[in-house]
Amino acid sequence: MPEPIVPRKVKRSPLGIVFFQEQYQNQIDGVRNALANTRRPKHLLSGLLTCSHCGGRYSIVSQDLYGCFNARNRNTCTNKHTIKRQRIEERVLHGLKDKLITPEVVETIIREMQQEANRLQRERLQGHDQKKKDLAAVNSKMMRYVEAIGEGTDLPIMHTQLKELEVERKRLEQELSQEPIKLPDLHPGIATLYREKVERLTRSPQ
């Protein structure tokens, strides 16, 4: 069962609706990528509201009213409550906004972004160092082949391997000629940018 919006427990509203955080996050992703999503839901919360009485879905049952599908269409639930679509969307979005821009959340976002930037930078530097080691190993192996040939051990396979090592040496030298890209520091106004994005994301739909 997906995690509810209220941590570690299901939040039941007076209308008998249950909200699921994981499902709602998927909806947020869908809204953010709406232009690329040709089969996006008709309404912001379509398919995301669940009746806490019967476990069925809350859907548009009349005009812009959400209600229990089972109660309205199957008569298998006693939850007859309805709520206006605009009202429930505003309540959800406002609640989301309050949770997404708290100082603690903003601090966590910035810390995780910095940690990810540091991880990527370490990987780039480690890859650069590994190529230096690989190049040294290739040069050492080529030198041993040259010495062996000079001492009289001249086999066709050795010339083939020397050619392969030469190709590898040139590749590594080419890659090492490019310094690893240093990631830019986080924008000093990242916290403000994050809040602005959340503000835009959680504006009530028209």
Side-chain angles (χ1 to χ4, degrees):
M1 180 177 181
E3 289 290 329
I5 285 180
V6 176
R8 302 191 186 285
K9 68 177 182 178
V10 173
K11 177 68 174 180
R12 177 181 292 192
S13 77
L15 295 173
I17 303 173
V18 176
F19 301 96
F20 293 103
Q21 183 179 21
E22 181 177 338
Q23 290 179 313
Y24 190 76
Q25 183 58 49
N26 291 337
Q27 183 69 21
I28 287 295
D29 292 340
V31 172
R32 185 176 55 190
N33 299 309
L35 292 178
N37 184 3
T38 58
R39 299 183 63 183
R40 62 185 182 277
K42 183 177 180 181
H43 302 298
L44 181 65
L45 300 178
S46 295
L48 304 178
L49 305 178
T50 304
C51 176
S52 62
H53 289 221
C54 69
R57 58 188 174 87
Y58 250 59
S59 58
I60 297 295
V61 294
S62 175
Q63 295 290 328
D64 262 3
L65 291 176
Y66 273 107
C68 176
F69 178 85
N70 289 335
R72 278 302 183 101
N73 297 281
R74 297 175 178 170
N75 201 29
T76 57
C77 180
T78 59
N79 181 14
K80 302 294 185 180
H81 294 291
T82 59
I83 185 172
K84 286 186 177 181
R85 177 179 63 83
Q86 293 87 347
R87 181 184 175 194
I88 193 64
E89 286 177 353
E90 288 175 359
R91 286 170 57 181
V92 170
L93 291 174
H94 290 165
L96 232 149
K97 174 182 172 182
D98 291 341
K99 292 179 180 297
L100 288 176
I101 60 175
T102 62
E104 294 81 8
V105 170
V106 174
E107 180 182 354
T108 299
I109 292 293
I110 294 175
R111 182 175 63 252
E112 291 183 354
M113 289 178 66
Q114 187 62 64
Q115 289 174 348
E116 179 65 9
N118 291 340
R119 183 188 68 79
L120 292 173
Q121 185 66 17
R122 284 196 303 270
E123 288 183 356
R124 284 176 170 82
L125 294 175
Q126 289 170 357
H128 196 74
D129 292 341
Q130 183 60 49
K131 287 174 184 177
K132 289 181 178 179
K133 294 178 182 178
D134 292 343
L135 179 60
V138 167
N139 286 331
S140 177
K141 188 177 292 187
M142 290 181 70
M143 183 60 64
R144 289 199 298 272
Y145 278 127
V146 171
E147 290 175 351
I149 292 172
E151 293 173 356
T153 307
D154 191 359
L155 301 175
I157 191 173
M158 298 175 70
H159 291 275
T160 300
Q161 291 175 336
L162 269 173
K163 290 179 181 179
E164 293 174 352
L165 288 169
E166 177 64 18
V167 172
E168 179 68 4
R169 182 180 67 82
K170 289 182 178 179
R171 182 186 69 81
L172 289 169
E173 287 178 342
Q174 173 62 28
E175 293 179 359
L176 285 169
S177 66
Q178 304 172 0
E179 289 294 326
I181 299 174
K182 184 181 185 302
L183 295 175
D185 295 331
L186 288 180
H187 192 285
I190 188 66
T192 300
L193 291 173
Y194 173 76
R195 289 189 178 92
E196 290 175 352
K197 287 183 178 295
V198 172
E199 290 278 357
R200 289 196 297 269
L201 179 66
T202 57
R203 283 178 190 149
S204 299
Q206 299 298 321

